[in-house]
Amino acid sequence: MVQKAKILLVDDRPENLLALEAILSALDQTLVRASSGEEALKALLTDDFAVILLDVQMPGMDGFETAAHIKRRERTRDIPIIFLTAINHGPHHTFRGYAAGAVDYISKPFDPWVLRAKVSVFVELYMKNCQLREQAALLRLQLEGGGKGAVGGKEPAGLLAELSARLAAVEEQAEALSKQLDDDSADAAAVATAAHLERKLTGLRRALDALEPGAGAGGSSVPAQN
């Protein structure tokens, strides 16, 4: 059974959290509530999340400050953040959201279908990355053990080819996401998203390349992806 991804919902208003849960329940993932920036940071200490939906206007620690703390932590800095705001202060306010590390910035009231579609892309990328990491780890252990036997019913060469194909599918989906954001005229979001996904996918591609025959001595270090 594939483990469900966790989505962190951060908003100080219970009715907004309830609305987000109603919209995202169709994705059949684990939805985690946080009613403040402090509560969100506490949840991020122990759990891994596919994406964070973060309200900008909150008493005490607002969304910008919360995002700054998230991006300063090595464990959480690569988690995609979608800012949600009921106030539109113009381009400067939007730019501040992207500068704080958001991959997208959505004004309320938002289209439920659009929000669900955007979140689903990040969930899919997260799940694929998890699968790739697990299979790469299995393959690496098998290769370090002398290349004897198969992993998960597949010979090393076949498994490596499958990993490469799956990564190519993720790369294609990331490219589609960038085009989607660009089509929505969210240029800054497209740039931020592309940069975030490029780091993740480049690391995974480098790890697979390092496992190719002739790439280096057995047991060489392969960068881990968080």
Side-chain angles (χ1 to χ4, degrees):
M1 179 179 297
V2 178
Q3 186 176 2
K4 293 183 179 182
K6 292 183 178 180
I7 303 170
L8 183 58
L9 313 176
V10 189
D11 199 303
D12 63 297
R13 299 176 67 88
E15 61 270 26
N16 290 342
L17 291 172
L18 187 62
L20 288 173
E21 288 175 339
I23 292 170
L24 300 176
S25 61
L27 299 180
D28 194 27
Q29 304 300 323
T30 302
L31 306 177
V32 178
R33 283 190 175 199
S35 58
S36 67
E38 292 85 354
E39 190 174 334
L41 294 176
K42 184 177 180 180
L44 288 162
L45 288 174
T46 54
D47 289 326
D48 294 324
F49 292 90
V51 62
I52 302 170
L53 273 63
L54 180 57
D55 184 40
V56 172
Q57 303 294 327
M58 295 188 295
M61 183 184 297
D62 66 11
F64 296 131
E65 186 178 355
T66 303
H69 282 289
I70 293 172
K71 293 303 178 181
R72 279 198 292 266
R73 294 178 179 177
E74 183 177 357
R75 174 187 172 91
T76 59
R77 64 188 178 191
D78 287 331
I79 301 176
I81 298 174
I82 298 176
F83 271 139
L84 305 176
T85 180
I87 303 176
N88 185 2
H89 292 295
H92 176 74
H93 193 260
T94 303
F95 176 77
R96 186 183 176 192
Y98 294 132
V103 297
D104 210 342
Y105 198 103
I106 302 178
S107 297
K108 304 174 186 176
F110 43 78
D111 185 322
W113 186 91
V114 171
L115 179 63
R116 187 163 52 242
K118 289 178 182 292
V119 171
S120 69
V121 172
F122 288 110
V123 168
E124 182 68 17
L125 288 170
Y126 173 82
M127 300 294 282
K128 287 183 180 294
N129 283 336
C130 288
Q131 294 172 5
L132 286 168
R133 286 199 302 269
E134 291 172 359
Q135 293 187 351
L138 286 172
L139 179 59
R140 183 166 58 247
L141 287 174
Q142 200 277 338
L143 292 175
E144 290 174 351
K148 298 178 180 179
V151 180
K154 295 184 177 66
E155 294 299 325
L159 182 55
L160 190 59
E162 180 179 336
L163 288 174
S164 182
R166 291 195 180 196
L167 180 55
V170 176
E171 291 168 334
E172 181 178 352
Q173 193 164 14
E175 182 180 357
L177 173 62
S178 294
K179 290 181 179 179
Q180 174 190 347
L181 293 174
D182 189 50
D183 290 342
D184 290 340
S185 298
D187 294 341
V191 173
T193 301
H196 166 75
L197 295 178
E198 183 179 357
R199 290 196 303 271
K200 303 284 283 189
L201 296 176
T202 298
L204 286 170
R205 179 60 70 184
R206 187 184 305 118
L208 286 182
D209 290 344
L211 293 174
E212 289 284 356
S220 60
S221 175
V222 177
Q225 295 298 306
N226 296 321

